[in-house]
Every structure is written in C-alpha cells, then in structure tokens.
Amino acid sequence: LINHFNYISRAVASMIAQEPKVRQRAKIYEKLILMAEHLKNLNSFNLLVAVVSGMNNSGVGRLKWTKARVPQRSMLILESLEELTSMQNSYKNYRNLITVNSEPPLIPYMGVYLQDLTFIEDGNPDQVDELINFSKRILV
C-alpha cells in the first residue's frame, strides 16, 4: 500500500518534470489538477493525497514558469486540494470532510490511520500497575 502510494507520487512528479516544453508541461499540470479534483469527487482520498504529494514534489515546485502558464482557476482548485490534504492539526480538514460530507463508497487516506495507530502504540503503556492496559487495547 505504501509502495503504491510512493509509486503514484513519483509518477506524477516525473510526468510533469520530464516534459521539456513549458507549454506542454503546463497542460499536463492542469490535467493532473483536474484529475485530482475528480478523485476527490469520487472519494478516492488515498490516490488524491498521492497525486497532490507528487505535485508538491520539490522538483516540481521549482517550475515557476510552468505554474505561471496554468490557468488561475486550476491553481485555485489545487490550493483547495492542498488545504484538504494538509497535515496541519493532524489532518483536521480531511477528517472533517470524511466525517461530515462523504458518502460511501470511500477509499480513505491510510496514512492518517497508520499515524493514529503509531501514536496509540507509542503513547500508551502496555501495562498499568502490572496489569494489561485495556484502554489502550480498546483504542486499537
């Protein structure tokens, strides 16, 4: 699952960066933004975060002339998607969208759940007063 996420993220960054012509690169960038918007509408959040992550790659981030050629409407869509997938406050915007607005079928972003499990495991002792910590087990 993690390897697939990384593969998609690298593929998006490579797709943009490998195009030598700025105009074509801007078209690819715009198409990927529109694709990411469709992924959000389809509730495919794991793939959405992978695509946005690829578009935020440091190599892609340096392509200022390319971004300047992308229509403003598409850049606003990308900003809203970046805000949705932001890690700030433990993915607060993503969690709100999942709990309030999304209807099944839904493919969640697994990184949130893996992070939660890690914090539960590392932040709570296995035993309390030489007894099994059942409150930790309930959280898992």
Side-chain angles (χ1 to χ4, degrees), residues 30 33-34 37 70-79:
E30 182 181 11
I33 292 170
L34 296 176
E37 184 180 34
V70 176
Q72 188 63 29
R73 179 187 170 281
S74 295
M75 292 306 287
L76 290 174
I77 292 170
L78 180 60
E79 280 181 35

Side-chain angles (χ1 to χ4, degrees), residues 7-127:
Y7 174 80
I8 296 297
S9 183
R10 283 191 305 262
V12 167
S14 296
M15 202 180 308
I16 296 167
Q18 285 181 342
E19 178 56 49
K21 297 179 182 175
V22 175
R23 185 172 287 157
Q24 285 301 108
R25 207 168 36 228
K27 286 182 180 180
I28 292 169
Y29 199 84
E30 182 181 11
K31 292 286 185 188
L32 287 168
I33 292 170
L34 296 176
M35 182 184 77
E37 184 180 34
H38 286 295
L39 290 170
K40 178 187 171 224
N41 294 336
L42 291 170
N43 293 333
S44 180
F45 294 105
N46 199 56
L47 200 51
L48 169 66
V49 175
V51 170
V52 172
S53 174
M55 296 181 84
N56 288 329
N57 180 291
S58 62
V60 174
R62 291 190 295 258
L63 301 172
K64 291 185 169 78
W65 289 352
T66 300
K67 290 181 180 181
R69 287 191 169 267
V70 176
Q72 188 63 29
R73 179 187 170 281
S74 295
M75 292 306 287
L76 290 174
I77 292 170
L78 180 60
E79 280 181 35
S80 71
L81 294 174
E82 287 172 344
E83 187 177 314
L84 172 66
T85 59
S86 171
M87 292 173 59
Q88 290 183 339
N89 296 323
S90 188
Y91 295 95
K92 179 183 174 186
N93 297 332
Y94 166 75
R95 289 176 194 267
N96 289 339
L97 180 68
I98 292 291
T99 56
V100 175
N101 297 329
S102 293
E103 294 286 324
L106 181 131
I107 301 172
Y109 172 49
M110 295 307 294
V112 171
Y113 300 103
L114 294 174
Q115 177 184 333
D116 289 347
L117 289 172
T118 300
F119 283 134
I120 290 169
E121 179 63 30
D122 293 345
N124 297 295
D126 288 332
Q127 295 185 339

